[in-house]
Amino acid sequence: MPISGKRRALPEPHTTIDSGRGKLRFFLGDSVELLEALPAGTVSVIVTSPPYNLGIQYRTYQDSLPREHYLEWTDAWLAAARHALAEDGSLFLNVGAKPTDPWTAMDVAQTARRHLHLQNTIHWVKSIAIDRDAAGAAVGLDRDIAVGHYKPINSDRFLNDCHEFIFHFTAGGRTKLDRRAIGVRYQDESNIARWRSGGDNRRCRGNAWFIPYETIQSRDKDRPHPATFPPRVPEYCFKLHGLTRITLAMDPFLGLGSTAVAAAELGLDFIGVEMDEHYLNEAVERTRRALVAPRLRR
Ligand SMILES: C[S@@+](CC[C@H](N)C(=O)[O-])C[C@H]1O[C@@H](n2cnc3c(N)ncnc32)[C@H](O)[C@@H]1O
């Protein structure tokens, strides 16, 4: 259905959770249809990670389309996302790659260029090594450290891939952000006076976010999905956009519901869409559990 044509009515959600602070609606179905059915400009923030077309084994979705088809489909869902996104909204788009197919993330970003402005490029760092002497004496490391989730590969030509992109797209490139909502403390407090934004001893975190996966005991039981991001990824995105400016948050490729978990914990109204019922049920369960035992430190 063309976006400019008669809009299809929003279907009934599969599940609705009312947290008391926000309403979370979970839809079983196709993300493009759902995005197109939303009234134009009504979503404040989309945080999402679509399939990357890297041959990942999902339960339902076939992740190895011919490149041309994949990019046509990418164009279709991005056009639908642009329709649903508010003029001052944010689309945080996480895309991974694999060493033998390094262009995917850039191809997806170039496709988005037809619809949206690239306002920021964030590097989600999953693992990092820091040498003690490079960190400097003031940091107080007693040795070189390597922290985070490290997935070794056997290769004599590729480096281990320790990051993924999070592209921050907006309608006009001028969306205001609450940078200090995810800010970090100044290491050297004498800098505070020097910087105009230094009033509360916090500076902008910058565009490299170290967010490791939680350590789990059993992949099948604890994280039964091949391509998730930790809830801290959407948590930072929501806070960076500015919580008070969010009337509706969304993830059109919900997977196990990490974005729903973050939205629930932050008291946001939220819509999630997933084509696979097993993943969707798991997302609902995770969200319910998060409301009983919140993960966030307040
Ligand atoms: C990369 S995963 C998202 C994982 C999620 N960020 C998480 O942390 O759990 C992409 C998801 O999109 C779903 N999917 C693929 N095509 C879809 C479509 N057209 N509509 C709705 N969901 C779709 C897949 O089933 C898969 O679970």
Side-chain angles (χ1 to χ4, degrees):
M1 185 197 65
I3 295 171
S4 52
K6 194 168 180 307
R7 196 156 42 84
R8 201 192 303 249
L10 205 62
E12 279 301 303
H14 174 276
T15 304
T16 301
I17 299 176
D18 192 340
S19 73
R21 295 197 301 144
K23 190 158 86 164
L24 301 114
R25 286 174 287 167
F26 298 81
F27 292 87
L28 178 64
D30 178 60
S31 51
V32 180
E33 286 180 12
L34 209 293
L35 282 161
E36 289 183 349
L38 286 168
T42 48
V43 180
S44 323
V45 185
I46 298 173
V47 182
T48 200
S49 173
Y52 307 157
N53 207 38
L54 297 176
I56 289 173
Q57 297 292 314
Y58 295 103
R59 280 173 46 92
T60 309
Y61 180 79
Q62 296 301 314
D63 193 40
S64 41
L65 296 174
R67 173 61 53 116
E68 214 176 289
H69 292 184
Y70 173 70
L71 293 177
E72 274 169 23
W73 172 78
T74 298
D75 189 69
W77 83 255
L78 283 164
R82 172 65 187 93
H83 151 83
L85 195 67
E87 282 306 305
D88 63 349
S90 289
L91 164 58
F92 292 94
L93 174 54
N94 162 232
V95 202
K98 62 180 179 185
T100 50
D101 190 356
W103 291 111
T104 313
M106 283 76 137
D107 286 348
V108 169
Q110 286 292 350
T111 305
R113 189 176 194 164
R114 286 172 24 84
H115 307 284
L116 292 153
H117 284 248
L118 179 57
Q119 191 168 318
N120 288 283
T121 300
I122 298 157
H123 301 270
W124 163 25
V125 178
K126 301 173 180 183
S127 162
I128 192 159
I130 302 173
D131 292 346
R132 178 172 175 258
D133 61 345
V139 177
L141 295 182
D142 61 2
R143 60 193 161 87
D144 298 343
I145 58 166
V147 281
H149 174 87
Y150 185 78
K151 198 161 135 197
I153 55 166
N154 264 331
S155 175
D156 58 8
R157 56 188 180 129
F158 296 126
L159 297 172
N160 277 82
D161 199 4
C162 297
H163 96 123
E164 291 190 15
F165 287 102
I166 302 172
F167 298 112
H168 174 224
F169 290 108
T170 59
R174 299 189 150 272
T175 294
K176 286 201 171 21
L177 297 174
D178 188 357
R179 300 192 309 158
R180 278 187 285 157
I182 55 164
V184 293
R185 289 180 72 82
Y186 279 92
Q187 295 298 303
D188 174 357
E189 300 205 356
S190 68
N191 281 331
I192 299 171
R194 250 185 275 153
W195 302 103
R196 197 162 53 89
S197 62
D200 63 356
N201 188 17
R202 291 183 98 73
R203 65 158 173 85
C204 171
R205 177 175 295 268
N207 67 347
W209 298 355
F210 172 60
I211 304 182
Y213 282 102
E214 271 173 39
T215 305
I216 51 173
Q217 302 302 323
S218 152
R219 180 67 194 250
D220 286 348
K221 196 162 136 294
D222 297 332
R223 203 186 294 140
H225 188 289
T228 60
F229 48 54
R232 197 185 291 247
V233 167
E235 176 199 331
Y236 279 15
C237 295
F238 289 143
K239 287 180 172 173
L240 178 62
H241 180 79
L243 294 179
T244 55
R245 292 178 41 240
I246 301 179
T247 50
L248 181 61
M250 182 176 187
D251 186 344
F253 300 100
L254 190 61
L256 295 191
S258 310
T259 314
V261 166
E265 290 175 339
L266 294 168
L268 303 174
D269 282 346
F270 175 80
I271 286 180
V273 193
E274 171 56 55
M275 70 188 295
D276 182 279
E277 190 163 15
H278 183 78
Y279 294 156
L280 189 72
N281 286 332
E282 186 72 29
V284 169
E285 269 320 296
R286 283 169 177 247
T287 308
R288 289 197 207 285
R289 283 206 298 272
L291 286 167
V292 177
R295 179 190 51 90
L296 296 182
R297 312 135 316 275
R298 292 189 195 285

